[in-house]
Amino acid sequence: PAGGLSFRLCSTRVTLEGINKPVIDRIIRVDHAGEYGANRIYAGQMAVLGRSSVGPVIQQMWNQEKDHLKKFNELMVAYRVRPTVLLPFWNVAGFVLGAGSALLGKKGAMACTVAVEESISDHYNSQIRTLMEEDPEKYRELLQTIKQFRDDEREHHDLGLEHDAEA
């Protein structure tokens, strides 16, 4: 270091002692991939429907997904979890799914949203049960994050239904 000064970077890592590392790695890796894919789906939908009447609704949901992805990016660093090797696939497949469903129109995009968000909500519920069985106090912060994101996904599901997904 210049001038003989030394410094230490602050760590963003959590205490990994006593956690069930394989379970936490799997949860964070899968959730990161899912939120990455969701971001790509909404990017595809916005590319097609961004200037339509449903554009602001899609943008609102996408903004929340961006926050979710940011949080899981932080958790990947904190828990030292490697991302899935399938991210390039999710990049392309998510965008194609989003754009493809949007090419069917507003109803197609919303039907895609409802199906994806329902699946993600169920997945988050399963993870919540797993963490509750493990140790709810030890995983309190991760549980709070997953519960909040699950609730956001349910909101997206309901918004999709409000915007003619079933039609």
Side-chain angles (χ1 to χ4, degrees), residues 14-31:
V14 296
T15 303
L16 300 179
E17 198 171 299
I19 69 164
N20 187 337
K21 185 87 167 110
V23 168
I24 298 306
D25 283 4
R26 184 176 67 248
I27 286 173
I28 293 174
R29 182 177 299 112
V30 166
D31 291 352

Side-chain angles (χ1 to χ4, degrees), residues 2-161:
L5 297 174
S6 65
F7 64 93
R8 191 179 94 142
L9 295 175
C10 293
S11 175
T12 58
R13 294 182 181 158
V14 296
T15 303
L16 300 179
E17 198 171 299
I19 69 164
N20 187 337
K21 185 87 167 110
V23 168
I24 298 306
D25 283 4
R26 184 176 67 248
I27 286 173
I28 293 174
R29 182 177 299 112
V30 166
D31 291 352
H32 175 263
E35 295 298 347
Y36 182 84
N39 268 271
R40 299 304 297 148
I41 290 169
Y42 286 117
Q45 289 182 347
M46 283 298 290
V48 175
L49 295 173
R51 293 179 177 233
S52 73
S53 63
V54 77
V57 175
I58 295 170
Q59 186 65 57
Q60 174 190 345
M61 294 185 287
W62 190 15
N63 289 343
Q64 282 186 313
E65 298 297 351
K66 288 176 184 179
D67 290 341
H68 296 178
L69 181 58
K70 180 181 177 196
K71 180 62 176 178
F72 277 109
N73 281 330
E74 293 167 1
L75 290 172
M76 301 252 322
V77 171
Y79 283 92
R80 301 188 322 191
V81 177
R82 67 169 177 77
T84 178
V85 297
L86 298 176
L87 280 184
F89 171 77
W90 294 129
N91 181 29
V92 174
F95 190 88
V96 168
L97 178 59
S101 66
L103 286 170
L104 299 172
K106 169 187 164 184
K107 294 173 187 175
M110 292 298 113
C112 174
T113 296
V114 166
V116 169
E117 301 294 14
E118 184 174 330
S119 176
I120 292 170
S121 294
D122 291 346
H123 184 75
Y124 277 148
N125 280 332
S126 174
Q127 290 178 341
I128 291 166
R129 283 189 295 276
T130 297
L131 292 173
M132 293 296 288
E133 290 169 5
E134 283 283 327
D135 186 340
E137 189 53 39
K138 186 185 299 181
Y139 302 113
R140 184 173 48 85
E141 288 181 43
L142 185 56
L143 276 164
Q144 287 174 337
T145 298
I146 293 172
K147 286 176 182 178
Q148 177 60 55
F149 291 178
R150 183 232 17 230
D151 293 347
D152 291 346
E153 307 303 353
R154 285 181 176 167
E155 181 183 316
H156 299 171
H157 172 275
D158 294 347
L159 277 170
L161 291 176

